[in-house]
Amino acid sequence: MFEFLKQPLPWYIAGPLIGLTVPVLLIIGNKTFGISSSLRHICASCIPGDIPFFSYNWKKEMWNLFFVAGILIGGALASLFLSNPNEIMIQPELQNYLAQYGIQDFSGLVPNDLFNWSNLLTLKGFLLMIVGGFLVGFGTRYAGGCTSGHAIMGLSNLQWPSLVATICFMIGGFVSAWFLVPLILSLTI
Amino acid sequence: MQTFKDFKDSELRHQDSICVNESEKKETFGENFKYLLIGIGFGIVFVKAEIVSWFRIQEMFRLESFFMYGVIGSAVAVGALSVYIIKKLKVKTIKGEEIKIEPKTFNKGQIYGGLLFGIGWAMTGACPGPLFAQIGYGASVIIVTLLSAIAGTWVYGKFRDYLPH
């Protein structure tokens, strides 16, 4: 049984479990599913800076911060107790593509060859980790939601603005993955 | 100090999904722990399905694997069915309250912001949720990515009046 829990979950189990978060949050507390709002609550609680966008009673949205703290703890528990003993299965096409750029370590959730502390000081690492992170925070708030708030919650509630947002997420992602990421990976500085 | 209440434009507030779906019944501090538990379950699923893997996101955008499309598609299907049932049967919360879901209103931010987020998503291989799970999993450097995402949110808040919406 325990060995079974260590295996990776297939999509048809993981997807429905994620989808069930929508009714569970609604039923236990009338909360709409959304994760990127947590970044705004962190701004509002730590560095509001007299900016109207961050001047609200963030304590009312405290549940959201507990939720993301739970995600972090869940990640740690999975790593400590349920870690998959085998290497993550990666498509051979992706392996070949990444090998061109010298990425050979597929053991982590993020490529250790790219996402590490010493790489922060290289242009490549700066773009991937810092500029990438900035775009995630800026873009999700500008769009009013991320994959959870728009793609899952919004689409579940048949909201067409969420469909527009989701299509734009995908367009941005395709352009980035096909053109921008290879360009960044080819950097040697 | 200027507060959000001073803004006539409650539309924008709704857009940001803030305090709009607020429960009428006050929740105690301790009740927040039920959300912590759900978050823990969620984080475990994220890691166990390897959804939070940078490699999975590249495979998705490079159309090399069906996996992420299966995850998101089935999540939306289950979510949509649940919302339909909740509305149809007028399911109440555990405290007997009516369930309300605020509609999303359209603005151009969903296009510009959506595109920018998409670019960042493929670079970092993570949307906001997975960033937390990756840090928990032990990828300590992702703390920097998360701080940068918080900075991005802050800069948006600071300059939102100058941005097209």
Side-chain angles (χ1 to χ4, degrees):
Chain A
M1 180 64 193
F2 200 63
E3 281 311 301
F4 165 76
L5 287 176
K6 290 195 168 195
Q7 295 305 311
L9 288 176
W11 66 263
Y12 48 84
I13 296 184
L17 283 174
I18 292 171
L20 278 177
T21 314
V22 169
V24 169
L25 287 175
L26 285 170
I27 290 170
I28 70 165
N30 227 344
K31 305 288 188 247
T32 40
F33 180 40
I35 295 176
S36 63
S37 317
S38 65
L39 303 176
R40 182 179 178 190
H41 306 325
I42 293 170
C43 288
S45 61
C46 302
I47 33 171
D50 232 355
I51 297 165
F53 191 66
F54 300 121
S55 305
Y56 59 90
N57 187 3
W58 60 271
K59 286 183 183 138
K60 282 187 178 166
E61 299 284 324
M62 191 115 79
W63 75 273
N64 201 259
L65 297 174
F66 275 79
F67 184 66
V68 295
I71 295 177
L72 196 147
I73 297 169
L77 291 176
S79 156
L80 288 171
F81 303 113
L82 302 168
S83 179
N84 181 8
N86 309 313
E87 276 213 357
I88 292 182
M89 295 283 287
I90 290 164
Q91 299 293 328
E93 293 95 324
L94 187 71
Q95 288 198 17
N96 293 336
Y97 154 73
L98 292 174
Q100 295 172 53
Y101 302 104
I103 299 164
Q104 271 140 9
D105 183 350
F106 301 119
S107 62
L109 285 178
V110 293
N112 299 322
D113 294 321
L114 297 171
F115 292 79
N116 60 55
W117 287 95
S118 54
N119 259 5
L120 272 178
L121 299 174
T122 65
L123 181 62
K124 195 197 280 193
F126 177 80
L127 289 170
L128 287 176
M129 291 179 267
I130 298 181
V131 176
F134 187 90
L135 287 171
V136 168
F138 186 90
T140 50
R141 202 68 275 120
Y142 197 176
C146 62
T147 327
S148 55
H150 274 312
I152 296 176
M153 184 67 224
L155 291 185
S156 292
N157 196 27
L158 312 176
Q159 298 292 303
W160 71 267
S162 290
L163 184 62
V164 173
T166 305
I167 291 170
C168 291
F169 298 164
M170 296 310 290
I171 294 173
F174 281 120
V175 171
S176 179
W178 285 93
F179 303 104
L180 194 59
V181 172
L183 207 64
I184 297 172
L185 293 182
S186 66
L187 290 171
T188 51
I189 46 170
Chain B
M1 202 178 76
Q2 213 177 13
T3 68
F4 245 88
K5 289 194 186 96
D6 302 330
F7 280 85
K8 268 191 191 165
D9 198 357
S10 68
E11 287 283 301
L12 270 180
R13 194 160 163 257
H14 280 212
Q15 197 63 49
D16 302 312
S17 59
I18 281 293
C19 309
V20 286
N21 215 39
E22 198 184 326
S23 181
E24 295 293 317
K25 305 206 167 148
K26 284 248 173 197
E27 288 190 311
T28 62
F29 183 79
E31 281 180 274
N32 283 314
F33 285 93
K34 61 190 179 189
Y35 303 107
L36 185 85
L37 282 178
I38 297 169
I40 291 174
F42 204 76
I44 291 175
V45 172
F46 263 4
V47 169
K48 286 309 297 170
E50 295 161 357
I51 294 165
V52 296
S53 159
W54 184 88
F55 301 104
R56 286 280 169 279
I57 302 302
Q58 302 306 316
E59 286 172 354
M60 167 176 78
F61 285 129
R62 298 177 58 80
L63 301 173
E64 289 164 346
S65 157
F66 170 75
F67 187 87
M68 284 302 300
Y69 294 98
V71 169
I72 299 176
S74 57
V76 172
V78 169
L81 184 67
S82 313
V83 171
Y84 175 80
I85 293 171
I86 285 175
K87 285 182 175 170
K88 191 87 181 166
L89 301 180
K90 298 195 170 60
V91 176
K92 296 222 157 63
T93 68
I94 48 172
K95 293 188 171 179
E97 220 179 337
E98 190 193 335
I99 290 178
K100 289 171 295 188
I101 310 173
E102 288 293 329
K104 308 249 183 203
T105 35
F106 177 73
N107 72 34
K108 286 189 231 108
Q110 281 138 10
I111 297 173
Y112 304 133
L115 291 171
L116 290 172
F117 162 53
I119 293 169
W121 187 9
M123 286 165 77
T124 60
C127 33
L131 288 178
F132 291 98
Q134 288 174 347
I135 295 169
Y137 192 79
S140 59
V141 73
I142 303 301
I143 293 171
V144 178
T145 307
L146 178 65
L147 289 175
S148 190
I150 293 169
T153 301
W154 192 87
V155 170
Y156 168 72
K158 176 87 179 163
F159 297 105
R160 76 174 296 178
D161 292 343
Y162 305 100
L163 297 166
H165 278 93

